Each structure stands twice: as structure tokens, then as C-alpha cells.
């Protein structure tokens, strides 16, 4: 109602001005004798002038009500359109029955701007999350390297020294020494040696899966050469160059680390055979030992590490086969498809 009266008054005054202008054209200047029909002529006991004012007032009220209704319809439609643009992620057809062409063009521009800004914000959010994940991974790798160095320089060296001292004591002990003295010494030596294996397996697991621009065969060669200097069992290996992508090589190198770590901790083997070859478009990696083996779902057999190996093999499109026989050993074999690069057939090339 607040907006109805001003509109009615403005329309009414405009209409009166128009009526007076028409009367001025028809009857000339406003003289009493000339304009006397406005109050002398009666219709239904009312002067003609009053009828004119009443009709003008009714018409003004109708136009004012129609104008307010049209304005409210435009406002509601514009609000609905903007709400639709805010809530939807893609362009959707919206009803613009009461809006002008200029407003429609503005809505299209606003819609394009909102979609562009939304995509930009999503991209920035994704990039920020990826950057944070990358930073976290780098810090994890740095921390693992630091722990590996400290453990190698302190605990590992001390275990090695203790193992050497116990081995020397057991070798130089008199033969007539009572059993209750020699047996605890040998048991302690065995425990220290097992602790050494656990420590070496942990150091092996802490090493980051990075080949440092080396091939997979070269990286495994260096890993096994370092490992041979620190273990009490024999390692035999056959490593060939395989054609794998960088990501697959890194995953397979990590699988090798995990497999050797499990062997060190749980196998109690004296012989370990390692194979890396490429046959029939498959990269085959196999680790076989003559250790204690394990039953299926044996928690003591490092089932968590074996699950990691299987998951890593699946991630690069490969398969993992684990066979173990108690007191005979374990075989872990991973096969990964080799993606060959396309080579054009020379026979189909026509020389110009």
C-alpha cells in the first residue's frame, strides 16, 4: 500500500494534465462560459467533470495496481533466476518471461562469471590440496631418512658390536664350561642376531622407494649388494632389464623392499633366490626362500606386509601370487604387464 498511493497520485496528475490539454485544444482558453458543460451537464445526478475525475481516478488506481504487480513479478523472477544460478553448477535454462533483453543478457554474463569463478575456486582448492599432500609426503620421506640414518649409526652398530662380542665369547669359551653358562650365551647371541635382522628389515623398510634415475635392475642390484654385507644367509639373484614405466618401476622396487623385509623378519631362511625377467610382455619379479614358511592367515607371518605387496601390485595393473609351505619356504611372485610403445610398420610406409 505504501507504493500504491504515490503511483496512483502521479498517474492521476498526469491524466488530469492530459485531459486539460485535450480540453484546451477543443475549447480554447479556460473561460467560465466555455467550460460550463463540465458542471452544468449532469449524468445520474452527477456533473460531467466529477464523472471525468472519478473515471480518471479509477483508471489511475488500476494502472498503479498493474504496475506494482508487474514490478513484483519481475523482482520475484529475477530473484529465482539468481538463486538458480547460485545453486546449480552447470548452465540451466531459466524462465525470463517478464525480464527485458538487457536484463537477460546481464543474467547470461553473470551466469558465465559464476561458473568461471566456481571452476577457478575448485581448481585452486584441488591444487592447494595436492600441494599440501606433496609437502606432507616430502616431510614423511625426510623423516624416514633421518630415522634410518640415526638407527643405522647408533642402534644397528651397537647390535653388530654386541653380536661380534657374543660370537667371540662363544668361540673362545672353554669346552669344559658348564652348560648353564654356555646355553644362555648362545641364546643371547641368537636373540641379538635376530634383533639385527629386525633392525635391518626396519632400515630396509624406511628407505624411500626412489631409484635416483637408475633402472629397476640397477636399483635392485645396489640394494642386494648392500644387503649381502649385513645378513647371515646367502642371496642369489638374476636381474634383467625390463621395460616398465617410471611409476611401475617405483612400485615394483617398493614391493621388492617389502618382500625382502618380510623375509628378514620372519623367514629364518638360509637361501634366498631373487629373479627379475621379462617374458611374454610380462615383467616377472620373484622372491623364493627356504625358510619356515607359514600357514594361510598366520598373523605371525607378516600378513600386513603381504597385503601391502598385493595392493601395490594391483595398483599398477599386476597380479601377486604367494605360495608358502610350512618348514619348506615361501615364494612371492609379481607379474606386471609391459606396455610396448607403438612402432610403425616399415612395410606400410610408401616412399615418395
Amino acid at each position: 500500500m505504501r507504493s500504491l498511493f504515490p503511483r496512483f497520485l502521479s498517474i492521476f496528475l498526469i491524466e488530469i494534465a492530459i485531459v486539460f490539454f485535450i480540453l484546451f485544444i477543443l475549447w480554447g482558453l479556460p473561460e467560465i462560459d466555455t467550460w460550463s458543460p463540465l458542471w452544468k451537464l449532469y449524468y445520474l445526478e452527477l456533473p460531467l467533470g466529477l464523472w471525468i475525475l472519478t473515471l480518471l481516478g479509477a483508471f489511475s488506481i488500476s494502472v498503479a495496481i498493474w504496475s506494482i504487480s508487474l514490478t513484483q513479478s519481475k523482482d520475484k523472477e529475477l530473484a529465482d533466476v539468481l538463486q538458480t544460478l547460485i545453486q546449480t553448477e552447470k548452465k540451466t535454462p531459466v524462465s525470463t518471461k517478464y525480464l527485458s533483453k538487457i536484463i537477460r543478457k546481464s543474467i547470461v554474463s553473470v551466469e558465465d562469471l559464476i561458473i568461471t569463478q566456481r571452476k577457478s575456486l575448485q581448481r585452486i582448492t584441488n591444487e592447494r590440496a595436492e600441494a599440501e599432500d606433496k609437502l606432507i609426503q616430502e616431510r614423511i620421506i625426510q623423516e624416514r631418512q633421518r630415522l634410518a640414518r640415526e638407527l643405522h649409526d647408533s642402534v644397528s652398530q651397537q647390535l653388530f658390536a654386541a653380536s661380534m662380542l657374543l660370537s667371540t665369547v662363544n668361540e673362545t669359551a672353554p669346552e669344559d664350561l658348564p652348560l648353564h653358562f654356555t646355553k644362555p650365551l648362545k641364546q643371547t647371541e641368537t636373540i641379538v642376531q635376530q634383533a639385527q635382522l629386525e633392525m635391518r628389515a626396519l632400515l630396509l623398510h624406511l628407505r624411500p622407494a626412489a631409484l635416483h634415475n637408475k633402472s629397476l635392475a640397477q636399483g635392485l642390484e645396489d640394494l642386494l649388494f648392500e644387503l649381502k654385507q649385513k645378513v647371515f644367509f646367502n642371496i642369489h639373484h638374476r636381474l634383467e632389464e625390463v621395460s616398465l614405466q617410471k611409476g611401475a618401476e617405483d612400485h615394483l622396487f617398493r614391493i621388492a623392499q617389502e618382500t625382502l623385509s618380510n623375509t628378514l623378519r620372519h623367514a629364518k631362511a638360509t637361501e634366498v633366490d631373487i629373479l627379475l625377467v621379462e617374458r611374454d610382455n610380462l615383467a616377472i619379479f620373484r622372491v623364493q626362500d627356504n625358510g619356515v614358511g607359514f600357514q594361510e592367515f598366520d598373523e605371525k607371518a607378516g600378513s600386513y606386509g603381504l597385503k601391502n605387496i598385493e595392493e601395490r601390485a594391483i595398483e599398477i595393473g599386476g597380479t601377486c601370487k604367494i605360495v608358502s609351505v610350512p618348514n619348506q619356504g615361501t615364494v612371492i611372485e609379481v607379474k606386471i604387464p609391459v606396455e610396448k610403445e607403438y612402432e610403425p610398420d616399415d612395410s606400410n610406409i610408401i616412399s615418395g
Side-chain angles (χ1 to χ4, degrees):
M1 295 300 294
R2 292 181 180 179
S3 60
L4 179 62
F5 181 75
R7 294 196 185 194
F8 158 73
L9 183 61
S10 61
I11 295 172
F12 183 70
L13 293 177
I14 292 172
E15 289 173 345
I16 290 178
I18 293 173
V19 169
F20 272 99
F21 180 74
I22 294 173
L23 293 176
F24 173 76
I25 294 176
L26 295 175
W27 295 343
L29 293 174
E31 296 179 357
I32 296 176
D33 295 337
T34 304
W35 290 41
S36 61
L38 293 176
W39 56 82
K40 288 183 178 181
L41 296 176
Y42 279 80
Y43 293 94
L44 300 177
E45 300 180 355
L46 290 176
L48 178 61
L50 187 58
W51 274 108
I52 292 174
L53 292 177
T54 303
L55 291 175
L56 290 178
F59 182 75
S60 300
I61 292 175
S62 301
V63 172
I65 293 175
W66 174 80
S67 176
I68 293 173
S69 175
L70 182 61
T71 303
Q72 290 177 348
S73 299
K74 287 183 178 180
D75 292 342
K76 184 178 183 302
E77 184 176 5
L78 183 59
D80 293 340
V81 169
L82 293 177
Q83 189 68 23
T84 302
L85 294 180
I86 293 173
Q87 292 179 351
T88 57
E89 296 183 359
K90 298 180 180 180
K91 287 188 175 182
T92 56
V94 292
S95 174
T96 54
K97 179 179 178 181
Y98 299 102
L99 302 181
S100 63
K101 292 183 178 180
I102 297 177
I103 296 179
R104 291 177 185 177
K105 291 182 180 179
S106 301
I107 288 175
V108 172
S109 301
V110 171
E111 182 180 14
D112 293 337
L113 180 61
I114 290 175
I115 293 175
T116 302
Q117 291 294 330
R118 184 182 287 115
K119 290 181 179 179
S120 178
L121 289 174
Q122 290 175 349
R123 177 178 55 82
I124 292 173
T125 302
N126 294 334
E127 290 178 354
R128 183 180 298 174
E130 291 175 358
E132 290 178 354
D133 290 342
K134 185 177 180 180
L135 180 61
I136 291 173
Q137 292 299 324
E138 290 177 354
R139 290 178 178 176
I140 290 175
I141 291 175
Q142 292 175 358
E143 185 64 16
R144 290 174 65 175
Q145 289 176 335
R146 184 187 67 82
L147 289 174
R149 286 194 301 268
E150 291 185 359
L151 290 174
H152 180 270
D153 295 339
S154 58
V155 181
S156 181
Q157 297 296 333
Q158 293 173 2
L159 288 174
F160 177 74
S163 176
M164 293 298 294
L165 288 174
L166 288 171
S167 178
T168 302
V169 170
N170 287 328
E171 290 177 358
T172 59
E175 296 181 357
D176 57 349
L177 197 65
L179 183 61
H180 63 274
F181 285 108
T182 58
K183 185 177 180 180
L185 287 175
K186 291 181 179 179
Q187 290 177 344
T188 304
E189 182 182 5
T190 302
I191 293 173
V192 172
Q193 290 177 351
Q194 184 61 34
Q196 275 188 282
L197 291 177
E198 291 281 349
M199 179 58 64
R200 286 162 185 165
L202 178 60
L203 295 176
L204 184 64
H205 186 73
L206 286 175
R207 289 183 57 178
L211 296 174
H212 302 293
N213 297 324
K214 295 181 181 179
S215 66
L216 178 61
Q218 293 172 343
L220 290 176
E221 185 78 33
D222 294 343
L223 180 65
L224 294 177
F225 177 78
E226 179 182 351
L227 195 60
K228 286 180 180 179
Q229 314 301 319
K230 301 176 180 180
V231 296
F232 304 108
F233 51 80
N234 297 322
I235 298 178
H236 309 284
H237 65 274
R238 177 186 172 188
L239 305 175
E240 298 179 2
E241 295 292 340
V242 295
S243 305
L244 290 175
Q245 300 293 330
K246 179 64 178 175
E249 282 190 340
D250 290 340
H251 265 64
L252 195 53
F253 185 68
R254 192 62 179 173
I255 287 173
Q257 287 182 307
E258 191 79 43
T259 305
L260 293 173
S261 175
N262 279 346
T263 303
L264 286 174
R265 289 180 175 179
H266 309 291
K268 298 180 181 179
T270 58
E271 300 285 338
V272 177
D273 294 319
I274 298 172
L275 176 69
L276 176 65
V277 295
E278 181 178 338
R279 298 291 185 272
D280 299 328
N281 292 332
L282 289 174
I284 302 174
F285 175 73
R286 182 189 303 143
V287 176
Q288 182 175 357
D289 65 66
N290 63 346
V292 296
F294 58 89
Q295 295 284 356
E296 191 175 3
F297 305 114
D298 185 0
E299 296 182 356
K300 296 182 179 179
S303 58
Y304 181 75
L306 297 179
K307 289 181 180 178
N308 283 341
I309 294 171
E310 292 178 343
E311 291 174 357
R312 287 183 180 275
I314 293 173
E315 286 179 6
I316 51 179
T319 59
C320 179
K321 182 179 180 181
I322 301 174
V323 179
S324 184
V325 179
N327 300 321
Q328 294 188 25
T330 303
V331 178
I332 299 177
E333 183 178 81
V334 177
K335 294 183 179 180
I336 301 172
V338 176
E339 296 181 3
K340 295 291 185 181
E341 295 183 357
Y342 172 74
E343 296 181 359
D345 189 358
D346 294 338
S347 62
N348 296 330
I349 300 176
I350 302 177
S351 59

